Amino acid sequence: MLPTVSKGRTHSNVRQNPVFPQYLRRIVKWEQMDIEYTFWQMFHLCTSPKVVYQHTKYHKQTKNQWARDDPAFVVICSLLLVVATSAYCAAYDHSMAHAIFTVISVLIFHFLVTGVVLATCCWFLTNSYLREEAPNSHVVEQRVEWLYAFDVHCNSFFPLFIMLYVIHYFLSPLLVAHGFIPLLLSNLVFMVAISYYHYLNFLGYDVLPFLDKTTFFLYPIGLVFIISPLLILSGFNPTRYVMNIYFS
């Protein structure tokens, strides 16, 4: 049986068990990170993501928190992003200083800052509007942890990274070319990557038993499917657009 606390003691328990400071301290302690389990998660997020969130339930039962207490996923994902961005710079950039700036800006803004903003928005949205009402006053009130919201973003980001930073890199000579086929393929790659991101975002919150109407997180997929054909008809190539921003 999971330990329970009354509503009145919830905040004091959080202060007594500061998860976030411990999480930050472990970032610089490589030997304390579970690297093998992190790669297992990354693989299954691309092949069978529901298995990963099934393990999230086990983590809640054993650690009494939904969020990871191991920063290995963020660290490895950041390192892989640096390597992938460096590969783009080696292929398309002609300035070492600009390449360094590009790598740092992609890591900070594409992954970390965007992740913090999206996680904060989802954290606020779920806690404010999607939580189920407790049937009686004796049930412990549960809330989405901010760190869990950031975990969900990181989980959703990794398959997007594989599609838009790895697969896209090898296809980029074709995707930047002129013509309808490069235009179509470029939009399809972005459409699949963004849709899968939102699908994993949905799975991350749907696994929480105290949330209701989590299908809300699937709505952006419908928007993507509406916008993508319009972009194709208008001749917009997202690959050429992004490459021009960073390597023009």
Side-chain angles (χ1 to χ4, degrees):
M1 179 179 294
L2 294 176
T4 59
V5 294
S6 64
K7 290 184 181 180
R9 296 179 58 186
T10 299
H11 297 294
S12 62
N13 281 349
V14 170
R15 289 194 293 267
Q16 292 170 5
N17 298 279
V19 175
F20 195 66
Q22 296 175 9
Y23 184 90
L24 293 178
R25 283 195 295 269
R26 292 185 64 180
I27 287 180
V28 295
K29 297 180 179 180
W30 185 265
E31 68 279 359
Q32 294 186 9
M33 299 182 192
D34 192 341
I35 307 301
E36 183 179 354
Y37 179 61
T38 298
F39 280 115
W40 179 90
Q41 286 182 308
M42 289 178 168
F43 173 77
H44 283 86
L45 283 169
C46 298
T47 57
S48 51
K50 290 184 179 181
V51 174
V52 176
Y53 284 111
Q54 187 63 40
H55 278 251
T56 300
K57 293 181 180 180
Y58 302 151
H59 182 79
K60 170 63 175 176
Q61 293 171 356
T62 56
K63 300 292 184 69
N64 198 30
Q65 69 180 51
W66 292 98
R68 297 187 186 100
D69 55 0
D70 184 355
F73 196 101
V74 175
V75 173
I76 293 176
C77 202
S78 298
L79 293 176
L80 292 175
L81 189 58
V82 167
V83 171
T85 309
S86 299
Y88 274 95
C89 292
Y92 296 102
D93 213 333
H94 303 288
S95 167
M96 178 62 71
H98 185 264
I100 295 173
F101 171 78
T102 300
V103 171
I104 294 175
S105 62
V106 166
L107 174 62
I108 293 177
F109 292 103
H110 283 208
F111 181 43
L112 298 177
V113 172
T114 301
V116 168
V117 171
L118 291 176
T120 301
C121 291
C122 291
W123 168 79
F124 174 79
L125 177 67
T126 51
N127 284 322
S128 299
Y129 301 105
L130 301 183
R131 285 190 304 139
E132 293 182 336
E133 293 292 334
N136 56 69
S137 59
H138 300 289
V139 176
V140 178
E141 183 183 40
Q142 297 190 72
R143 302 180 65 86
V144 177
E145 307 150 6
W146 184 90
L147 195 56
Y148 179 77
F150 187 70
D151 282 346
V152 172
H153 162 73
C154 293
N155 290 346
S156 304
F157 180 86
F158 181 74
L160 181 142
F161 160 78
I162 294 297
M163 285 184 269
L164 294 187
Y165 289 84
V166 180
I167 296 175
H168 184 272
Y169 172 79
F170 292 104
L171 294 178
S172 58
L174 169 63
L175 300 180
V176 297
H178 293 280
F180 179 73
I181 297 301
L183 171 69
L184 178 63
L185 289 178
S186 179
N187 277 279
L188 285 176
V189 169
F190 275 80
M191 181 182 73
V192 171
I194 295 172
S195 297
Y196 197 67
Y197 173 92
H198 287 291
Y199 172 66
L200 291 188
N201 212 39
F202 157 73
L203 290 183
Y205 294 104
D206 189 56
V207 76
L208 302 180
F210 55 90
L211 293 185
D212 189 23
K213 300 178 182 177
T214 52
T215 51
F216 170 83
F217 292 103
L218 294 175
Y219 293 168
I221 298 178
L223 190 62
V224 170
F225 274 79
I226 293 173
I227 293 177
S228 294
L230 299 178
L231 295 178
I232 294 172
L233 292 174
S234 67
F236 178 78
N237 186 325
T239 298
R240 293 177 62 86
Y241 178 78
V242 172
M243 300 293 273
N244 285 335
I245 290 178
Y246 287 101
F247 306 114
S248 58

